[in-house]
Amino acid sequence: DTGVSQDPRHKITKRGQNVTFRCDPISEHNRLYWYRQTLGQGPEFLTYFQNEAQLEKSRLLSDRFSAERPKGSFSTLEIQRTEQGDSAMYLCASSVSQGANTEAFFGQGTRLTVV
Amino acid sequence: AQSVTQLGSHVSVSEGALVLLRCNYSSSVPPYLFWYVQYPNQGLQLLLKYTTGATLVKGINGFEAEFKKSETSFHLTKPSAHMSDAAEYFCASYNFNKFYFGSGTKLNVKP
């Protein structure tokens, strides 16, 4: 298993364009998380899935953001009508929900720059 | 509300000196606690975690942390800093199915 992979690693887009990021979790992990990280800050929770079900979305998440995890495998995060404030590192993590075995494995992130 | 506070956004130590990075959590229920390290333009790598059992936990690269419930703390230490330890470190808690992160501490190691 190669761990959590994210694609693309970097994305530069013009304001107003739509972007989509992909995350492939560790195959046996049932939970998948999306976080956003801006410069000098810790990762901020956006949303998470258990299998294919999206169980929680942050109240900070605007309706321009949508995430899916069809068939409970890979996930996509789409941002519509991007704004400069969306510029950040978008991190995906996967985990198993097994009590003391719980831990998040992170991908290398997608860095979004909105110009 | 769950939160994690890291005291000191920047810490500088000399190579070979003790590393101490501070983390306090607030939670009505003792959470699981983690320390992650992040190198520039990379994701987060797990250093160590506390879930249950022994309160002193050892991680990779010589790091360890002690869970102190009475102080709601989970400070990260390493007896002797190495140049390769220079990175950003994040304390995190897991509660109610989510991971909550502190704002991070950048560790600088001087030769």
Side-chain angles (χ1 to χ4, degrees):
Chain A
D1 195 335
T2 56
V4 179
S5 62
Q6 292 186 245
D7 183 69
R9 291 290 311 278
H10 302 274
K11 178 71 176 179
I12 300 174
T13 191
K14 291 184 178 178
R15 191 173 46 188
Q17 298 294 304
N18 299 345
V19 294
T20 301
F21 310 141
R22 178 180 170 121
C23 171
D24 287 89
I26 294 172
S27 55
E28 63 267 26
H29 286 183
N30 59 349
R31 290 220 173 134
L32 187 148
Y33 298 84
W34 285 100
Y35 282 82
R36 176 172 60 193
Q37 186 180 22
T38 53
L39 205 60
Q41 298 297 316
E44 173 189 38
F45 172 78
L46 294 179
T47 188
Y48 91 93
F49 294 83
Q50 177 142 328
N51 301 313
E52 66 275 12
Q54 186 174 21
L55 296 187
E56 189 169 344
K57 280 177 67 170
S58 167
R59 279 172 282 182
L60 301 174
L61 203 61
S62 118
D63 57 8
R64 295 183 298 105
F65 287 70
S66 62
E68 295 182 341
R69 192 184 182 196
K71 303 177 184 178
S73 56
F74 72 92
S75 176
T76 56
L77 177 69
E78 181 183 18
I79 309 174
Q80 296 183 325
R81 305 181 303 282
T82 52
E83 300 172 358
Q84 286 190 319
D86 297 332
S87 295
M89 175 80 92
Y90 290 83
L91 294 165
C92 175
S94 68
S95 77
V96 291
S97 50
Q98 286 183 357
N101 291 325
T102 298
E103 67 180 77
F105 293 81
F106 281 83
Q108 294 199 316
T110 295
R111 182 166 293 285
L112 173 67
T113 303
V114 182
V115 297
Chain B
Q2 316 297 315
S3 71
V4 175
T5 302
Q6 291 184 239
L7 293 176
S9 58
H10 291 80
V11 169
S12 187
V13 300
S14 298
E15 192 173 18
L18 171 72
V19 175
L20 170 61
L21 304 183
R22 298 178 188 274
C23 172
N24 288 87
Y25 68 91
S26 69
S27 173
S28 55
V29 175
Y32 295 161
L33 295 163
F34 306 81
W35 276 99
Y36 284 85
V37 61
Q38 187 178 36
Y39 296 97
N41 294 311
Q42 299 292 317
L44 280 71
Q45 179 186 5
L46 181 69
L47 282 177
L48 49 79
K49 67 177 182 181
Y50 170 78
T51 54
T52 58
T55 55
L56 181 63
V57 291
K58 295 184 185 300
I60 61 172
N61 301 338
F63 285 94
E64 62 183 39
E66 186 170 12
F67 170 64
K68 292 187 176 180
K69 185 178 177 181
S70 61
E71 298 177 7
T72 61
S73 69
F74 190 58
H75 301 330
L76 181 71
T77 60
K78 181 173 180 177
S80 176
H82 192 273
M83 296 298 292
S84 62
D85 295 327
E88 190 158 20
Y89 292 80
F90 293 93
C91 182
S93 68
Y94 176 82
N95 221 333
F96 304 113
N97 300 317
K98 292 194 295 291
F99 295 85
Y100 300 85
F101 288 85
S103 56
T105 298
K106 282 190 178 171
L107 177 65
N108 177 45
V109 182
K110 298 175 289 187

PDB file of all heavy atoms in Angstrom, chain A residues 91-108:
ATOM      1  N   LEU A  91      -5.792  19.113   2.417  1.00  0.00           N
ATOM      2  CA  LEU A  91      -5.240  17.838   2.871  1.00  0.00           C
ATOM      3  C   LEU A  91      -6.338  16.796   2.985  1.00  0.00           C
ATOM      4  O   LEU A  91      -7.428  17.078   3.482  1.00  0.00           O
ATOM      5  CB  LEU A  91      -4.580  18.010   4.242  1.00  0.00           C
ATOM      6  CG  LEU A  91      -3.339  18.895   4.299  1.00  0.00           C
ATOM      7  CD1 LEU A  91      -3.010  19.266   5.736  1.00  0.00           C
ATOM      8  CD2 LEU A  91      -2.156  18.186   3.659  1.00  0.00           C
ATOM      9  N   CYS A  92      -6.016  15.616   2.560  1.00  0.00           N
ATOM     10  CA  CYS A  92      -6.917  14.483   2.717  1.00  0.00           C
ATOM     11  C   CYS A  92      -6.270  13.509   3.700  1.00  0.00           C
ATOM     12  O   CYS A  92      -5.038  13.346   3.716  1.00  0.00           O
ATOM     13  CB  CYS A  92      -7.125  13.812   1.366  1.00  0.00           C
ATOM     14  SG  CYS A  92      -8.102  12.302   1.407  1.00  0.00           S
ATOM     15  N   ALA A  93      -7.074  12.891   4.517  1.00  0.00           N
ATOM     16  CA  ALA A  93      -6.574  11.891   5.444  1.00  0.00           C
ATOM     17  C   ALA A  93      -7.551  10.728   5.489  1.00  0.00           C
ATOM     18  O   ALA A  93      -8.750  10.904   5.257  1.00  0.00           O
ATOM     19  CB  ALA A  93      -6.406  12.475   6.845  1.00  0.00           C
ATOM     20  N   SER A  94      -7.028   9.546   5.773  1.00  0.00           N
ATOM     21  CA  SER A  94      -7.925   8.407   5.953  1.00  0.00           C
ATOM     22  C   SER A  94      -7.581   7.703   7.256  1.00  0.00           C
ATOM     23  O   SER A  94      -6.465   7.853   7.780  1.00  0.00           O
ATOM     24  CB  SER A  94      -7.847   7.445   4.765  1.00  0.00           C
ATOM     25  OG  SER A  94      -6.610   6.777   4.677  1.00  0.00           O
ATOM     26  N   SER A  95      -8.548   6.978   7.768  1.00  0.00           N
ATOM     27  CA  SER A  95      -8.334   6.286   9.031  1.00  0.00           C
ATOM     28  C   SER A  95      -9.298   5.121   9.138  1.00  0.00           C
ATOM     29  O   SER A  95     -10.271   5.018   8.394  1.00  0.00           O
ATOM     30  CB  SER A  95      -8.522   7.231  10.212  1.00  0.00           C
ATOM     31  OG  SER A  95      -9.902   7.457  10.454  1.00  0.00           O
ATOM     32  N   VAL A  96      -8.997   4.260  10.085  1.00  0.00           N
ATOM     33  CA  VAL A  96      -9.966   3.264  10.502  1.00  0.00           C
ATOM     34  C   VAL A  96     -10.541   3.760  11.822  1.00  0.00           C
ATOM     35  O   VAL A  96      -9.848   4.396  12.608  1.00  0.00           O
ATOM     36  CB  VAL A  96      -9.340   1.869  10.686  1.00  0.00           C
ATOM     37  CG1 VAL A  96      -8.935   1.300   9.338  1.00  0.00           C
ATOM     38  CG2 VAL A  96      -8.143   1.915  11.598  1.00  0.00           C
ATOM     39  N   SER A  97     -11.793   3.484  12.034  1.00  0.00           N
ATOM     40  CA  SER A  97     -12.412   3.892  13.298  1.00  0.00           C
ATOM     41  C   SER A  97     -12.430   2.674  14.212  1.00  0.00           C
ATOM     42  O   SER A  97     -13.384   1.920  14.258  1.00  0.00           O
ATOM     43  CB  SER A  97     -13.827   4.414  13.065  1.00  0.00           C
ATOM     44  OG  SER A  97     -14.572   3.504  12.276  1.00  0.00           O
ATOM     45  N   GLN A  98     -11.316   2.455  14.876  1.00  0.00           N
ATOM     46  CA  GLN A  98     -11.155   1.274  15.710  1.00  0.00           C
ATOM     47  C   GLN A  98     -10.565   1.630  17.056  1.00  0.00           C
ATOM     48  O   GLN A  98      -9.506   1.162  17.438  1.00  0.00           O
ATOM     49  CB  GLN A  98     -10.234   0.258  15.020  1.00  0.00           C
ATOM     50  CG  GLN A  98     -10.859  -0.470  13.869  1.00  0.00           C
ATOM     51  CD  GLN A  98      -9.925  -1.513  13.272  1.00  0.00           C
ATOM     52  OE1 GLN A  98      -8.783  -1.650  13.685  1.00  0.00           O
ATOM     53  NE2 GLN A  98     -10.405  -2.220  12.269  1.00  0.00           N
ATOM     54  N   GLY A  99     -11.264   2.473  17.797  1.00  0.00           N
ATOM     55  CA  GLY A  99     -10.844   2.778  19.144  1.00  0.00           C
ATOM     56  C   GLY A  99      -9.387   3.167  19.225  1.00  0.00           C
ATOM     57  O   GLY A  99      -8.951   4.126  18.605  1.00  0.00           O
ATOM     58  N   ALA A 100      -8.613   2.392  19.966  1.00  0.00           N
ATOM     59  CA  ALA A 100      -7.220   2.746  20.218  1.00  0.00           C
ATOM     60  C   ALA A 100      -6.358   2.684  18.966  1.00  0.00           C
ATOM     61  O   ALA A 100      -5.239   3.186  18.961  1.00  0.00           O
ATOM     62  CB  ALA A 100      -6.637   1.840  21.304  1.00  0.00           C
ATOM     63  N   ASN A 101      -6.849   2.070  17.903  1.00  0.00           N
ATOM     64  CA  ASN A 101      -6.094   2.043  16.650  1.00  0.00           C
ATOM     65  C   ASN A 101      -6.364   3.258  15.781  1.00  0.00           C
ATOM     66  O   ASN A 101      -5.825   3.377  14.690  1.00  0.00           O
ATOM     67  CB  ASN A 101      -6.426   0.775  15.856  1.00  0.00           C
ATOM     68  CG  ASN A 101      -5.877  -0.460  16.536  1.00  0.00           C
ATOM     69  OD1 ASN A 101      -4.815  -0.408  17.145  1.00  0.00           O
ATOM     70  ND2 ASN A 101      -6.600  -1.552  16.446  1.00  0.00           N
ATOM     71  N   THR A 102      -7.209   4.163  16.260  1.00  0.00           N
ATOM     72  CA  THR A 102      -7.541   5.336  15.464  1.00  0.00           C
ATOM     73  C   THR A 102      -6.323   6.209  15.262  1.00  0.00           C
ATOM     74  O   THR A 102      -5.650   6.573  16.220  1.00  0.00           O
ATOM     75  CB  THR A 102      -8.642   6.149  16.169  1.00  0.00           C
ATOM     76  OG1 THR A 102      -9.811   5.340  16.283  1.00  0.00           O
ATOM     77  CG2 THR A 102      -8.970   7.403  15.380  1.00  0.00           C
ATOM     78  N   GLU A 103      -6.022   6.524  14.038  1.00  0.00           N
ATOM     79  CA  GLU A 103      -5.046   7.543  13.702  1.00  0.00           C
ATOM     80  C   GLU A 103      -5.269   7.938  12.260  1.00  0.00           C
ATOM     81  O   GLU A 103      -5.777   7.149  11.468  1.00  0.00           O
ATOM     82  CB  GLU A 103      -3.610   7.064  13.917  1.00  0.00           C
ATOM     83  CG  GLU A 103      -3.139   5.962  12.988  1.00  0.00           C
ATOM     84  CD  GLU A 103      -1.700   5.544  13.281  1.00  0.00           C
ATOM     85  OE1 GLU A 103      -1.495   4.815  14.275  1.00  0.00           O
ATOM     86  OE2 GLU A 103      -0.809   5.928  12.522  1.00  0.00           O
ATOM     87  N   ALA A 104      -4.936   9.154  11.940  1.00  0.00           N
ATOM     88  CA  ALA A 104      -5.141   9.680  10.595  1.00  0.00           C
ATOM     89  C   ALA A 104      -3.847   9.606   9.805  1.00  0.00           C
ATOM     90  O   ALA A 104      -2.792   9.978  10.298  1.00  0.00           O
ATOM     91  CB  ALA A 104      -5.629  11.122  10.658  1.00  0.00           C
ATOM     92  N   PHE A 105      -3.959   9.106   8.597  1.00  0.00           N
ATOM     93  CA  PHE A 105      -2.837   9.069   7.668  1.00  0.00           C
ATOM     94  C   PHE A 105      -3.116  10.122   6.592  1.00  0.00           C
ATOM     95  O   PHE A 105      -4.165  10.081   5.946  1.00  0.00           O
ATOM     96  CB  PHE A 105      -2.725   7.686   7.021  1.00  0.00           C
ATOM     97  CG  PHE A 105      -2.332   6.600   7.991  1.00  0.00           C
ATOM     98  CD1 PHE A 105      -3.277   6.020   8.823  1.00  0.00           C
ATOM     99  CD2 PHE A 105      -1.017   6.170   8.078  1.00  0.00           C
ATOM    100  CE1 PHE A 105      -2.931   5.026   9.733  1.00  0.00           C
ATOM    101  CE2 PHE A 105      -0.655   5.165   8.969  1.00  0.00           C
ATOM    102  CZ  PHE A 105      -1.619   4.601   9.803  1.00  0.00           C
ATOM    103  N   PHE A 106      -2.171  11.020   6.433  1.00  0.00           N
ATOM    104  CA  PHE A 106      -2.381  12.145   5.536  1.00  0.00           C
ATOM    105  C   PHE A 106      -1.703  11.950   4.191  1.00  0.00           C
ATOM    106  O   PHE A 106      -0.625  11.343   4.102  1.00  0.00           O
ATOM    107  CB  PHE A 106      -1.835  13.434   6.166  1.00  0.00           C
ATOM    108  CG  PHE A 106      -2.746  14.013   7.186  1.00  0.00           C
ATOM    109  CD1 PHE A 106      -2.729  13.543   8.494  1.00  0.00           C
ATOM    110  CD2 PHE A 106      -3.637  15.019   6.854  1.00  0.00           C
ATOM    111  CE1 PHE A 106      -3.588  14.078   9.445  1.00  0.00           C
ATOM    112  CE2 PHE A 106      -4.492  15.556   7.799  1.00  0.00           C
ATOM    113  CZ  PHE A 106      -4.467  15.085   9.094  1.00  0.00           C
ATOM    114  N   GLY A 107      -2.337  12.499   3.163  1.00  0.00           N
ATOM    115  CA  GLY A 107      -1.689  12.635   1.877  1.00  0.00           C
ATOM    116  C   GLY A 107      -0.771  13.845   1.884  1.00  0.00           C
ATOM    117  O   GLY A 107      -0.672  14.566   2.883  1.00  0.00           O
ATOM    118  N   GLN A 108      -0.126  14.082   0.763  1.00  0.00           N
ATOM    119  CA  GLN A 108       0.831  15.184   0.688  1.00  0.00           C
ATOM    120  C   GLN A 108       0.164  16.520   0.374  1.00  0.00           C
ATOM    121  O   GLN A 108       0.831  17.552   0.382  1.00  0.00           O
ATOM    122  CB  GLN A 108       1.908  14.863  -0.347  1.00  0.00           C
ATOM    123  CG  GLN A 108       2.762  13.674   0.090  1.00  0.00           C
ATOM    124  CD  GLN A 108       4.072  13.606  -0.636  1.00  0.00           C
ATOM    125  OE1 GLN A 108       4.127  13.798  -1.852  1.00  0.00           O
ATOM    126  NE2 GLN A 108       5.136  13.344   0.083  1.00  0.00           N
TER     127      GLN A 108
END
